[in-house]
Every structure is written in C-alpha cells, then in structure tokens.
Amino acid sequence: VQKLGIDSIGFYTARHYMDLSTLAVARDLDPNKYHIGLGQYTMSIPAPNEDVISMGAAAGARALKNIDKKTISTVIFATESGIDQSKAGAIYIHRLLNLPPHCRAIEFKQACYGSTAGLIMALPMLLANPDQKILLIASDTARYGLNTPGESSQGCGAIAMVLSVNPRLVSIDLRTGYYTQDIMDFWRPNYRDEAFVEGKYSSRMYLQGLNETWSHYQAATELGFQDHDRFCYHTPVPKLTEKAHKYLAKHCKVTLNPEKSNAHIFDSLIYGRLIGNTYTASLFVCLVSLLDNCPDDLSGERIGFYSYGSGCVAEFFNGTVSPQYRDHLDTDFNKSMLQTRLPLTYSQYQEFYNFTLPVDGSTVEIPALAKCDYHFTRLSEHKRCYEGEHEPVE
Ligand code: CAA
C-alpha cells in the first residue's frame, strides 16, 4: 500500500508578542491565572503589515525549500480569518511563492477544522497522480475583544505542509473517526472582526467531540489508547489539551501518571504556549513542536491527532513518523524565529489591535511595523497588495 502524508512542514508566526504577565498587570489579574490556569505564557500579535496571507506565504516558503515547485499541483489554504468572501487566499500565496500556473488554488473553511479537512481530502488525490505534490497552508489570527474572557487565548501563526506519497516526515492513516453537530459555541458573522464565543460551552463541546470521534475512530481502526505513542490536540489553550488528554485516558480506562502524560503531550505544547491559538494551524503547530523538541527518536512512533472546529466538526486520526524524519525538519529556523520576536508594551498591543483599514476604497500605505519577508503593503481601491521574496520557477 502506498504511503501518503506530510513530506515537509514550514512554520511561521508574527514578529511581535504580548507577554501575558504584561496583560495581567493591565487587567489587574494574577499572572498565574494565565500561566497556571491556561498554561499560556505569551501570544503572537500581528502588526498591521502581517496577516494570514503574509504568514501563510512565509510558512509556505519554508515548506518548499527543498521541493521542486513544478510538482505542486494544488494549493489549499485553510483559514477562518479570510481576507475576502470570494477570492481564495491561496491565489495570493500562489503568486507570492511563484508557483507554476498549472496549479489549483482554493480556500477551505470550517473553523479550526478546515486544515484537517484539507489534509484528509487532499491525500487520496495523490494516489491518482503520485508524481504530484499538494501544498496545504493553515494560517489564522485568533482575535477576541479587549478585556473579554477570550482575550488571553489570542495568537496567530501559520503552518504549511507539502503532502506527497512516501512522505519524509509523517504518513497519515486514512481510517479516521469524525463527527458533526450544529451548535453555536464560537462563530464570526461576516460583519465582525472579532469572534463571538461561549467559552465554557465551547470547551465542553470540544471534549464531547473528542468522545464522539474517538468511538468512531476505534470502530474504524480497532486501535486503542495504548497503541499511540504521542498525542497532538487542537490547542486553543494548553490547559484544555491537558484536560482532554486526561479525559480520553479516563474514557479508555487507562491510568495515566504525570510522567506518562508528559511523554504523550508535553513537547507538542511548547510552541503553542508561546504563540497562542492559531485556529487552523494549531494542531499542526503541535506536530512541529513535538518533532522539533522531543529528545527521543520518534521514528516509527504512532501519533494520535484530535482536530476540533467549533460549530462543530471534529476528527480523530493517526500518523506514523518516518525514519530519518530529523534530517528534514526546520528546527533551527523555527527556534530562532520564536526567539527573535519582539515584546509589545500594553499601549503597542492596543495600537496593533485597534489598527483598522478604510472601507471606502481610499488608498492607505500599511505601516511596516514588522520586519518580515512577506508583507501586506497597501490597500487601494479595495484591493490588498502584498510584497515578498520572489524566486524564479526552475
Ligand atoms: N492561579 C491558578 N489558576 C487560576 C488562577 C490563579 N490565580 N485564576 C484562575 N485560575 C484557573 C481557574 O481555576 C480555571 O481552572 P480550571 O479550568 O481547571 O477550572 C482556569 O484558570 C481558567 O479560568 P476560568 O475558568 O476563569 O476561564 P476563563 O474565563 O479564563 O476562560 C477560556 C478560559 C474559556 C478558554 C477562554 O479563554 C475563552 O473563552 N477562550 C476562547 C474560546 C476557546 O478557546 N474555547 C476552547 C474550545 S473551542 C475551540 O477549540 C475552537 C477554538 O479554537 C476557539
């Protein structure tokens, strides 16, 4: 049987961050509420010249580093912070990355689940054309109102994955468990910049989705909890992932000591604790974090993945780490990209947050407050312009 999965991964996040200790002072709260209560330390905040397109292109450039661009047949862009109701964000990224014209470009949406939908639906396409590859990009900005309970679970970032046959990083098992239920736990009407969220309800539904997908997954695979060596969960806040993992173990009647639980999920949460929620990218940020930070050789290990998108659709699936995966990671770049982020003062945070664009078609040059390779440069006649690195197609 032909293996299908993730051949390379690029990761990117905004150049500035808000320290939750700084936010705690502004909100007159104990910082432990964030550090211990949520498991969150800092969150990436986009400057005006960064958005889901610029971050997605930057992640895409990393993922394509050792890939022949001519083999990319399709770009799938998953987001819930889209910049247009009609045109796919994938088209801007396709141009910024100088991909060949005979390539499809589309956008997927279903809250944080959109990227998993892209993965599961794209992989079988490769069976028909095993010489081709697919670029899947997940990019989001998690934005909630200032001084609301969601404020401390903001963040932003992007993941780009090249999907192929015989993947160099992780092969994905297409026997999965999935679940849909029409609920209003989190949503963002077209006329709003910030999401509405029923925080506690959404956390309960996240756990219910885990329960439902797990039963469906078990029936499809006959795999048990103990057949998985590591776990990656969609992570709105790391504390919810820790709770979900305990919940799943209990549901499977497995006794988990803290050491075992840490071995399962600790490394997957390292990056998320620093960048915050990244919606569609979050599950795969966990994967990159695990691959980059786990001191053990993960070759041959099975990872369980839980994807949850409010609204809601959820899916549980697994993947097996390829031998020699370490030779194909981007760990040094990822770590230095995180280390070189700049802290925001509370007033800079407000300034970034409150930056708005005209809606009357007038021209505005976007202040280049973040130094990045790809950026949003101007809005003119309702059209967004981007600039970035251009490499010729070989
Ligand atoms: N020291 C230590 N712990 C403290 C503390 C202190 N000083 N003060 C409070 N805490 C603890 C609380 O005891 C609580 O712990 P438990 O969860 O174990 O009870 C924890 O901090 C959180 O505090 P609250 O219960 O007051 O919760 P909150 O009001 O901060 O809300 C949240 C948390 C619901 C996640 C909120 O951030 C939110 O609404 N976020 C947006 C929605 C969200 O992320 N939902 C998750 C599921 S939906 C989804 O997955 C899709 C998606 O990406 C959005």
Side-chain angles (χ1 to χ4, degrees):
V1 185
Q2 189 84 277
K3 285 189 177 153
L4 300 169
I6 304 166
D7 195 51
S8 71
I9 306 189
F11 169 41
Y12 196 77
T13 189
R15 301 290 70 226
H16 294 84
Y17 69 90
M18 183 63 178
D19 194 318
L20 287 177
S21 305
T22 311
L23 188 66
V25 172
R27 299 287 171 251
D28 198 18
L29 283 170
D30 178 353
N32 282 336
K33 152 90 201 248
Y34 300 142
H35 297 161
I36 299 172
L38 303 180
Q40 194 69 46
Y41 290 86
T42 62
M43 49 190 194
S44 291
I45 304 290
N49 61 323
E50 294 172 300
D51 68 3
V52 291
I53 303 299
S54 68
M55 290 188 298
R62 299 305 301 179
L64 289 171
K65 200 160 46 86
N66 296 313
I67 304 278
D68 177 0
K69 289 182 186 178
K70 291 196 291 294
T71 60
I72 304 291
S73 69
T74 307
V75 185
I76 300 175
F77 182 62
T79 189
E80 52 179 300
S81 346
I83 56 159
D84 195 286
Q85 298 286 16
S86 173
K87 180 171 171 172
I91 301 176
Y92 296 87
I93 293 179
H94 172 273
R95 180 186 56 86
L96 285 167
L97 297 178
N98 209 11
L99 288 165
H102 295 291
C103 177
R104 307 174 189 92
I106 48 170
E107 187 162 314
F108 269 32
K109 179 178 74 180
Q110 181 6 63
C112 309
Y113 169 76
S115 48
T116 298
L119 178 73
I120 301 297
M121 292 185 182
L123 289 176
M125 283 172 61
L126 295 166
L127 288 175
N129 294 290
D131 296 335
Q132 297 182 348
K133 294 186 168 72
I134 294 170
L135 179 63
L136 169 61
I137 297 180
S139 184
D140 263 305
T141 297
R143 185 177 155 94
Y144 299 98
L146 295 180
N147 218 349
T148 63
E151 182 181 24
S152 48
S153 61
Q154 297 183 100
C156 67
I159 288 285
M161 294 178 276
V162 173
L163 311 180
S164 74
V165 299
N166 299 322
R168 292 173 300 173
L169 295 180
V170 180
S171 55
I172 300 293
D173 185 345
L174 290 176
R175 297 168 305 162
T176 72
Y178 38 92
Y179 173 72
T180 293
Q181 189 187 351
D182 184 0
I183 57 169
M184 296 302 275
D185 59 334
F186 170 108
W187 68 106
R188 185 166 67 83
N190 290 345
Y191 48 83
R192 294 261 310 182
D193 284 337
E194 294 94 25
F196 289 109
V197 62
E198 300 289 341
K200 301 279 149 120
Y201 176 57
S202 68
S203 303
R204 280 203 311 279
M205 296 315 286
Y206 171 103
L207 294 178
Q208 183 179 318
L210 177 57
N211 194 355
E212 294 284 350
T213 55
W214 178 260
S215 320
H216 194 221
Y217 170 76
Q218 266 205 308
T221 61
E222 295 183 1
L223 292 170
F225 185 90
Q226 314 271 36
D227 294 316
H228 302 80
D229 305 289
R230 317 277 167 175
F231 292 79
C232 290
Y233 293 83
H234 167 59
T235 300
V237 290
K239 186 67 176 285
L240 185 58
T241 294
E242 289 164 3
K243 283 187 186 174
H245 194 56
K246 281 195 195 122
Y247 175 91
L248 184 61
K250 197 169 167 211
H251 175 79
C252 297
K253 301 192 172 46
V254 171
T255 315
L256 264 192
N257 59 35
E259 216 172 287
K260 190 72 193 156
S261 186
N262 267 345
H264 284 155
I265 59 172
F266 183 86
D267 294 318
S268 75
L269 295 174
I270 292 173
Y271 290 165
R273 290 188 202 283
L274 301 176
I275 69 172
N277 196 355
T278 50
Y279 292 161
T280 50
S282 163
L283 177 63
F284 303 100
V285 169
C286 289
L287 173 61
V288 175
S289 182
L290 170 65
L291 298 177
D292 279 357
N293 293 298
C294 185
D296 309 331
D297 181 4
L298 297 169
S299 305
E301 289 201 0
R302 181 183 281 128
I303 306 173
F305 292 91
Y306 175 57
S307 174
Y308 177 82
S310 289
C312 70
V313 182
E315 189 145 357
F316 201 101
F317 60 101
N318 79 76
T320 302
V321 182
S322 308
Q324 269 91 50
Y325 71 98
R326 277 193 169 132
D327 299 343
H328 309 292
L329 296 176
D330 207 10
T331 311
D332 292 344
F333 173 85
N334 295 342
K335 291 194 171 170
S336 83
M337 185 223 4
L338 288 170
Q339 274 156 11
T340 53
R341 290 182 310 160
L342 302 168
L344 293 172
T345 62
Y346 180 70
S347 71
Q348 286 172 316
Y349 162 69
Q350 280 181 307
E351 191 191 322
F352 278 22
Y353 184 94
N354 290 326
F355 180 80
T356 46
L357 294 166
V359 292
D360 62 358
S362 54
T363 298
V364 54
E365 301 297 332
I366 312 298
L369 298 182
K371 286 200 167 43
C372 37
D373 289 344
Y374 295 89
H375 49 123
F376 172 34
T377 52
R378 72 203 297 248
L379 179 73
S380 183
E381 296 171 358
H382 303 286
K383 295 173 196 155
R384 289 165 91 101
C385 303
Y386 293 90
E387 279 173 23
E389 304 270 308
H390 287 263
E391 281 171 40
V393 185
E394 291 132 32

Coordinates of all heavy atoms in Angstrom, one line a residue, residues 242-300:
E242 N -4.4 19.5 28.1 CA -4.0 18.6 29.2 C -5.3 17.9 29.8 O -5.3 16.8 30.1 CB -3.3 19.4 30.3 CG -1.9 19.9 29.9 CD -1.4 21.0 30.8 OE1 -2.0 21.4 31.8 OE2 -0.3 21.4 30.5
K243 N -6.4 18.7 29.9 CA -7.6 18.2 30.4 C -8.2 17.1 29.4 O -8.7 16.1 29.8 CB -8.7 19.3 30.5 CG -8.5 20.2 31.7 CD -9.7 21.1 31.8 CE -9.5 22.1 32.9 NZ -10.6 23.1 33.0
A244 N -8.1 17.4 28.1 CA -8.6 16.5 27.1 C -7.9 15.2 27.1 O -8.5 14.1 27.0 CB -8.5 17.1 25.7
H245 N -6.6 15.3 27.4 CA -5.8 14.0 27.4 C -6.2 13.1 28.6 O -6.3 11.9 28.4 CB -4.3 14.3 27.4 CG -3.4 13.1 27.1 ND1 -3.6 12.4 25.9 CD2 -2.5 12.5 27.8 CE1 -2.8 11.4 25.9 NE2 -2.1 11.4 27.0
K246 N -6.3 13.8 29.7 CA -6.8 13.0 30.9 C -8.2 12.4 30.7 O -8.4 11.3 31.0 CB -6.9 14.0 32.1 CG -5.5 14.3 32.7 CD -5.7 14.9 34.1 CE -4.4 15.5 34.6 NZ -4.5 16.9 34.9
Y247 N -9.0 13.2 30.0 CA -10.4 12.8 29.8 C -10.4 11.6 28.9 O -11.1 10.6 29.1 CB -11.1 14.0 29.1 CG -12.5 13.8 28.6 CD1 -13.6 14.0 29.4 CD2 -12.7 13.4 27.3 CE1 -14.9 13.8 28.9 CE2 -14.0 13.2 26.8 CZ -15.1 13.4 27.6 OH -16.3 13.2 27.2
L248 N -9.6 11.6 27.8 CA -9.5 10.5 26.9 C -9.0 9.2 27.6 O -9.5 8.1 27.4 CB -8.7 10.8 25.7 CG -8.6 9.8 24.6 CD1 -10.0 9.5 24.0 CD2 -7.7 10.2 23.4
A249 N -7.9 9.4 28.4 CA -7.4 8.2 29.1 C -8.4 7.6 30.0 O -8.6 6.4 30.1 CB -6.1 8.7 29.9
K250 N -9.1 8.5 30.7 CA -10.2 8.0 31.7 C -11.3 7.3 30.9 O -11.7 6.2 31.3 CB -10.8 9.2 32.4 CG -11.5 8.8 33.6 CD -11.8 10.0 34.5 CE -12.9 9.6 35.5 NZ -13.8 10.7 35.9
H251 N -11.7 7.9 29.8 CA -12.7 7.3 28.9 C -12.2 5.9 28.5 O -13.0 4.9 28.3 CB -12.9 8.2 27.7 CG -13.8 7.7 26.7 ND1 -15.2 7.7 26.9 CD2 -13.6 7.1 25.5 CE1 -15.8 7.2 25.8 NE2 -14.9 6.8 25.0
C252 N -10.9 5.7 28.2 CA -10.4 4.4 27.7 C -9.9 3.5 28.9 O -9.3 2.5 28.7 CB -9.2 4.7 26.8 SG -9.6 5.6 25.3
K253 N -10.2 4.0 30.1 CA -9.9 3.2 31.3 C -8.4 3.0 31.4 O -8.0 1.9 31.8 CB -10.7 1.9 31.4 CG -12.2 2.2 31.4 CD -13.0 0.9 31.7 CE -14.5 1.2 31.9 NZ -15.2 2.0 30.9
V254 N -7.6 4.0 31.1 CA -6.2 3.8 31.2 C -5.7 4.8 32.4 O -6.1 5.9 32.4 CB -5.5 4.3 29.9 CG1 -4.0 4.4 30.1 CG2 -5.9 3.4 28.7
T255 N -4.9 4.2 33.3 CA -4.4 5.1 34.3 C -3.1 5.8 33.8 O -2.2 5.1 33.4 CB -4.0 4.2 35.6 OG1 -5.1 3.3 35.8 CG2 -3.8 5.0 36.8
L256 N -3.1 7.1 33.9 CA -2.0 7.9 33.4 C -1.3 8.5 34.6 O -1.9 9.3 35.3 CB -2.6 9.0 32.6 CG -2.7 8.9 31.1 CD1 -2.9 10.3 30.5 CD2 -1.4 8.3 30.4
N257 N 0.0 8.2 34.8 CA 0.7 9.0 35.8 C 1.3 10.3 35.1 O 1.3 10.3 33.8 CB 1.8 8.2 36.5 CG 2.8 7.6 35.4 OD1 3.1 8.3 34.5 ND2 3.3 6.4 35.6
P258 N 1.6 11.3 35.9 CA 2.0 12.6 35.2 C 3.2 12.4 34.3 O 3.3 13.1 33.2 CB 2.4 13.5 36.4 CG 1.8 12.9 37.6 CD 1.6 11.4 37.3
E259 N 4.1 11.4 34.6 CA 5.3 11.2 33.7 C 4.9 10.7 32.3 O 5.3 11.2 31.3 CB 6.1 10.2 34.4 CG 7.6 10.3 34.2 CD 8.3 9.3 35.1 OE1 8.3 9.5 36.3 OE2 8.8 8.4 34.5
K260 N 3.9 9.8 32.3 CA 3.4 9.2 31.1 C 2.7 10.2 30.3 O 2.8 10.4 29.1 CB 2.5 8.0 31.4 CG 2.2 7.2 30.2 CD 3.4 6.4 29.7 CE 3.1 5.8 28.3 NZ 4.4 5.5 27.6
S261 N 1.9 11.0 31.0 CA 1.1 12.0 30.4 C 2.0 13.1 29.7 O 1.8 13.5 28.6 CB 0.2 12.7 31.4 OG -0.7 13.6 30.8
N262 N 3.1 13.5 30.4 CA 4.0 14.4 29.9 C 4.7 13.8 28.6 O 4.9 14.5 27.6 CB 5.1 14.7 30.9 CG 4.8 15.9 31.7 OD1 3.9 16.7 31.3 ND2 5.5 16.1 32.8
A263 N 5.0 12.5 28.7 CA 5.7 11.9 27.5 C 4.7 12.0 26.3 O 5.2 12.1 25.1 CB 6.1 10.5 27.8
H264 N 3.4 11.9 26.6 CA 2.5 11.9 25.5 C 2.3 13.3 24.8 O 2.2 13.4 23.6 CB 1.1 11.4 26.0 CG 1.0 10.0 26.2 ND1 0.1 9.4 27.0 CD2 1.6 8.9 25.6 CE1 0.2 8.1 27.0 NE2 1.1 7.8 26.1
I265 N 2.2 14.3 25.7 CA 1.8 15.6 25.1 C 2.8 16.8 25.4 O 2.6 17.9 24.7 CB 0.4 16.0 25.6 CG1 0.3 16.1 27.1 CG2 -0.6 15.1 25.1 CD1 -1.0 16.7 27.7
F266 N 3.7 16.7 26.3 CA 4.5 17.9 26.8 C 5.2 18.6 25.6 O 5.0 19.8 25.4 CB 5.5 17.5 27.8 CG 6.2 18.7 28.4 CD1 5.7 19.4 29.4 CD2 7.5 19.1 27.8 CE1 6.4 20.6 29.9 CE2 8.2 20.2 28.3 CZ 7.6 20.9 29.3
D267 N 5.9 17.9 24.8 CA 6.7 18.5 23.7 C 5.8 19.2 22.7 O 6.2 20.1 22.0 CB 7.7 17.5 23.1 CG 8.7 17.1 24.1 OD1 9.2 17.9 24.8 OD2 9.0 15.9 24.1
S268 N 4.6 18.6 22.5 CA 3.7 19.2 21.5 C 3.2 20.5 21.9 O 2.6 21.3 21.0 CB 2.5 18.2 21.2 OG 1.6 18.3 22.3
L269 N 3.3 20.9 23.2 CA 2.7 22.1 23.6 C 3.7 23.3 23.8 O 3.3 24.4 24.0 CB 2.0 21.9 25.0 CG 0.8 20.9 24.9 CD1 0.2 20.6 26.3 CD2 -0.3 21.5 24.0
I270 N 5.0 23.0 23.5 CA 6.0 24.0 23.8 C 5.8 25.3 22.9 O 5.7 26.4 23.4 CB 7.4 23.4 23.6 CG1 7.7 22.4 24.7 CG2 8.5 24.5 23.6 CD1 8.9 21.6 24.6
Y271 N 5.6 25.1 21.6 CA 5.4 26.3 20.7 C 4.1 27.0 21.0 O 4.0 28.2 21.0 CB 5.5 25.9 19.3 CG 6.9 25.5 18.8 CD1 7.1 24.8 17.6 CD2 8.0 25.7 19.6 CE1 8.4 24.4 17.2 CE2 9.3 25.4 19.2 CZ 9.5 24.7 18.0 OH 10.7 24.3 17.5
G272 N 3.0 26.2 21.2 CA 1.7 26.8 21.5 C 1.7 27.7 22.7 O 1.0 28.7 22.7
R273 N 2.4 27.3 23.7 CA 2.4 28.1 25.0 C 3.0 29.5 24.7 O 2.8 30.4 25.4 CB 3.3 27.5 26.0 CG 2.7 26.2 26.6 CD 3.5 25.7 27.8 NE 3.3 24.3 28.1 CZ 2.3 23.8 28.7 NH1 1.3 24.6 29.1 NH2 2.2 22.5 28.9
L274 N 3.8 29.6 23.6 CA 4.4 30.9 23.3 C 3.7 31.7 22.2 O 3.8 32.9 22.2 CB 5.9 30.6 22.7 CG 6.8 29.9 23.7 CD1 8.1 29.6 23.0 CD2 7.0 30.7 24.9
I275 N 2.9 31.0 21.3 CA 2.3 31.8 20.3 C 0.8 31.9 20.4 O 0.2 32.8 19.8 CB 2.6 31.2 18.9 CG1 2.0 29.9 18.6 CG2 4.2 31.2 18.7 CD1 2.2 29.4 17.1
G276 N 0.2 31.1 21.3 CA -1.3 31.2 21.5 C -2.0 30.4 20.5 O -1.5 29.5 19.8
N277 N -3.3 30.6 20.4 CA -4.2 29.9 19.5 C -3.9 30.3 18.1 O -3.7 31.5 17.8 CB -5.7 30.1 19.8 CG -6.6 29.1 19.2 OD1 -6.1 28.2 18.4 ND2 -7.9 29.1 19.5
T278 N -3.8 29.3 17.2 CA -3.6 29.7 15.8 C -4.7 29.0 14.9 O -4.5 28.7 13.8 CB -2.2 29.2 15.3 OG1 -2.0 27.8 15.7 CG2 -1.1 30.1 15.9
Y279 N -5.8 28.7 15.6 CA -7.0 28.1 14.9 C -6.6 26.9 14.0 O -6.3 25.9 14.4 CB -7.8 29.1 14.2 CG -8.5 30.2 15.0 CD1 -8.9 31.4 14.4 CD2 -8.8 30.0 16.4 CE1 -9.6 32.4 15.2 CE2 -9.4 31.0 17.1 CZ -9.8 32.2 16.5 OH -10.5 33.1 17.3
T280 N -6.7 27.1 12.6 CA -6.5 26.0 11.7 C -5.1 25.4 11.8 O -4.8 24.3 11.5 CB -6.7 26.4 10.2 OG1 -5.9 27.6 10.0 CG2 -8.1 26.7 9.9
A281 N -4.1 26.3 12.2 CA -2.7 25.9 12.3 C -2.4 25.1 13.6 O -1.4 24.3 13.6 CB -1.8 27.0 12.1
S282 N -3.2 25.3 14.6 CA -2.9 24.9 16.0 C -2.5 23.4 16.1 O -1.5 23.1 16.7 CB -4.1 25.2 16.9 OG -4.0 24.5 18.1
L283 N -3.3 22.5 15.5 CA -3.0 21.1 15.6 C -1.6 20.8 15.0 O -0.9 19.9 15.6 CB -4.1 20.3 14.9 CG -3.9 18.8 14.8 CD1 -4.0 18.2 16.2 CD2 -5.0 18.2 14.0
F284 N -1.3 21.4 13.9 CA 0.0 21.1 13.2 C 1.1 21.9 13.8 O 2.3 21.5 13.7 CB -0.2 21.4 11.7 CG -1.3 20.5 11.2 CD1 -2.6 21.1 11.0 CD2 -1.2 19.2 11.0 CE1 -3.7 20.3 10.6 CE2 -2.2 18.3 10.6 CZ -3.5 18.9 10.4
V285 N 0.9 23.0 14.6 CA 1.9 23.6 15.4 C 2.3 22.6 16.5 O 3.5 22.5 16.8 CB 1.4 24.9 16.0 CG1 2.4 25.5 17.1 CG2 1.2 26.0 15.0
C286 N 1.3 21.9 17.0 CA 1.6 20.8 18.0 C 2.5 19.8 17.4 O 3.5 19.3 18.0 CB 0.4 20.2 18.5 SG -0.6 21.3 19.6
L287 N 2.3 19.4 16.1 CA 3.1 18.4 15.5 C 4.5 18.9 15.3 O 5.5 18.2 15.6 CB 2.5 18.0 14.1 CG 3.3 17.1 13.3 CD1 3.6 15.7 14.0 CD2 2.7 16.9 11.9
V288 N 4.7 20.1 14.8 CA 6.0 20.7 14.6 C 6.7 20.8 16.0 O 7.9 20.5 16.1 CB 6.0 22.1 14.0 CG1 7.4 22.7 13.9 CG2 5.4 22.0 12.6
S289 N 6.0 21.2 17.0 CA 6.6 21.4 18.3 C 7.1 20.0 18.8 O 8.2 19.9 19.3 CB 5.5 22.0 19.3 OG 6.1 22.2 20.5
L290 N 6.3 19.0 18.6 CA 6.7 17.6 19.0 C 7.9 17.2 18.3 O 8.9 16.7 18.9 CB 5.5 16.7 18.8 CG 5.8 15.2 19.0 CD1 6.2 14.8 20.4 CD2 4.6 14.3 18.5
L291 N 7.9 17.3 17.0 CA 9.0 16.8 16.1 C 10.3 17.6 16.4 O 11.4 17.0 16.5 CB 8.7 16.9 14.6 CG 7.5 16.1 14.1 CD1 7.3 16.4 12.6 CD2 7.7 14.6 14.3
D292 N 10.2 18.9 16.7 CA 11.4 19.7 16.9 C 11.9 19.5 18.3 O 13.1 19.7 18.5 CB 11.0 21.2 16.8 CG 11.0 21.7 15.3 OD1 11.3 21.0 14.4 OD2 10.7 22.9 15.1
N293 N 11.1 19.3 19.3 CA 11.5 19.4 20.7 C 11.7 18.1 21.4 O 12.3 18.0 22.5 CB 10.5 20.3 21.5 CG 10.6 21.7 21.0 OD1 11.6 22.3 21.2 ND2 9.5 22.2 20.5
C294 N 11.1 17.0 20.9 CA 11.2 15.7 21.6 C 12.6 15.1 21.5 O 13.1 14.9 20.4 CB 10.2 14.7 21.0 SG 10.2 13.2 22.0
P295 N 13.3 14.9 22.7 CA 14.6 14.4 22.6 C 14.7 13.0 22.1 O 15.7 12.5 21.6 CB 15.1 14.5 24.1 CG 13.9 14.7 24.9 CD 12.8 15.2 24.0
D296 N 13.6 12.2 22.2 CA 13.6 10.8 21.8 C 13.5 10.7 20.3 O 13.0 11.6 19.6 CB 12.4 10.0 22.3 CG 12.2 10.2 23.8 OD1 13.3 10.4 24.5 OD2 11.1 10.2 24.3
D297 N 14.0 9.6 19.7 CA 13.8 9.4 18.3 C 12.4 8.9 18.1 O 12.0 7.9 18.6 CB 14.8 8.3 17.8 CG 14.7 8.1 16.3 OD1 13.9 8.7 15.6 OD2 15.4 7.1 15.9
L298 N 11.6 9.7 17.3 CA 10.2 9.3 17.1 C 10.0 8.4 16.0 O 8.8 8.0 15.7 CB 9.4 10.6 17.0 CG 9.4 11.6 18.1 CD1 8.8 13.0 17.7 CD2 8.6 11.0 19.3
S299 N 11.0 8.0 15.3 CA 10.8 7.2 14.1 C 10.0 6.0 14.4 O 10.2 5.3 15.3 CB 12.2 6.7 13.6 OG 13.1 7.7 13.3
G300 N 9.0 5.7 13.6 CA 8.1 4.6 13.7 C 7.0 4.7 14.8 O 6.2 3.9 14.9

